[in-house]
Amino acid sequence: MKDWTTFLGAVQLGGWVIYPLSVLAIFAIAIVIDRSYVFLRFARTPGGSTRAAADMPFPGPAGEALDSLPAGHVFRRLSVPLADQPSAPIWYREAKAETIAATIERDMSKGFWVLETIVTAAPLLGLLGTIVGMMHSFQLFGGNGLVNPGGVTGGVAQSLVATAVGLVVALFSLFTFNYFSRRLERLMDELETFANEQISEMRLASEGQGDTP
C-alpha cells in the first residue's frame, strides 16, 4: 500500500503534463484491447492454427471449416467473391477479391495511426513537462542565491516524473504498434496465399472443362 501511495504521489508531482499523458495512455490501452479482440475473433486461421496458409489444407469456399467461422471473419469475407457468380470470368472474381483484401487491410488496421501518433507525442509531452519543471526550478534562484531549496528539488522531480511517464506510454504504444503491424502483414500473406490457391483451383477446373469433349 505504501508503494502504491508513493507512486500516486509521484504522478501528482509530475504536474499538469500527467493529465494529457494519462489520456494518451487510456487511448493506447483501449486500442490494444479492441485490436486484440478483433484479431483473435476475426483473423484466426481456420482450425486455430498459426501456421502460414500455404502449409494448411484450406477447403473450398463452401467448405465446412470456413462455414464454421464468424460472419465477419476475414477468410469468409475473402471467399465470397471467389464463390459467388460461378459463371463470371476468373479475372473478374480475382479483381473483386483484391478489392475485398484491401478493405480487410484497412479495417484491421483501424487505430494504428493513433498508436503511431502516441509513440511520437508521449515523449514530446514528457519533454515539455521536463522543461516546465526546470523553468520552475530556475525561477527559485534569486539575486542572493538559492531562495527555496525544497522548491528546486520539487521542480526537478516534476521534470523527471513527466519524462518517465512519457517514455513508458511511448514504449507501450511502440511495442503494441509493431506487434499488430507484424500480425497484419502475416495475415495479409495468409489471405494472399489462400486466394491464390482458390484461383489456381478454379483455373485448373476451367481448363479441365475446356478439354472435356
Side-chain angles (χ1 to χ4, degrees):
M1 184 66 181
K2 181 179 179 181
D3 294 338
W4 179 250
T5 304
T6 303
F7 172 76
L8 291 179
V11 171
Q12 293 176 356
L13 186 62
W16 63 269
V17 178
I18 297 299
Y19 295 105
L21 285 175
S22 300
V23 173
L24 294 182
I26 293 173
F27 273 113
I29 294 174
I31 292 172
V32 169
I33 294 175
D34 174 71
R35 291 299 92 186
S36 297
Y37 171 78
V38 169
F39 274 94
L40 183 63
R41 178 168 176 79
F42 300 109
R44 296 185 64 180
T45 306
S49 174
T50 57
R51 293 178 301 171
D55 298 331
M56 296 188 60
F58 278 101
E64 295 181 357
L66 290 180
D67 290 339
S68 63
L69 297 175
H73 199 281
V74 293
F75 283 96
R76 290 195 64 175
R77 291 172 60 183
L78 187 63
S79 67
V80 170
L82 301 177
D84 289 347
Q85 300 179 349
S87 60
I90 295 178
W91 63 264
Y92 174 79
R93 284 185 279 179
E94 185 176 2
K96 293 284 289 185
E98 291 178 356
T99 302
I100 291 181
T103 304
I104 290 174
E105 184 175 12
R106 185 183 68 247
D107 293 341
M108 298 301 294
S109 62
K110 287 181 179 179
F112 283 16
W113 69 272
V114 178
L115 288 177
E116 192 173 10
T117 302
I118 293 175
V119 170
T120 305
L124 293 178
L125 281 173
L127 179 60
L128 178 60
T130 299
I131 295 174
V132 172
M134 296 304 294
M135 290 175 60
H136 175 72
S137 298
F138 291 148
Q139 289 176 353
L140 298 178
F141 285 93
N144 297 324
L146 187 58
V147 176
N148 186 358
V152 173
T153 57
V156 174
Q158 174 181 341
S159 64
L160 294 178
V161 169
T163 302
V165 174
L167 290 177
V168 169
V169 175
L171 287 174
F172 173 77
S173 302
L174 176 62
F175 289 142
T176 54
F177 172 76
N178 287 338
Y179 168 78
F180 284 117
S181 297
R182 180 70 185 106
R183 181 67 183 87
L184 180 59
E185 290 178 3
R186 187 172 61 181
L187 174 64
M188 298 311 298
D189 290 339
E190 293 177 353
L191 290 175
E192 183 179 2
T193 302
F194 170 76
N196 289 337
E197 289 181 352
Q198 299 301 313
I199 292 173
S200 298
E201 292 179 2
M202 288 188 295
R203 292 184 186 278
L204 182 61
S206 177
E207 292 178 359
Q209 293 177 358
D211 295 340
T212 302

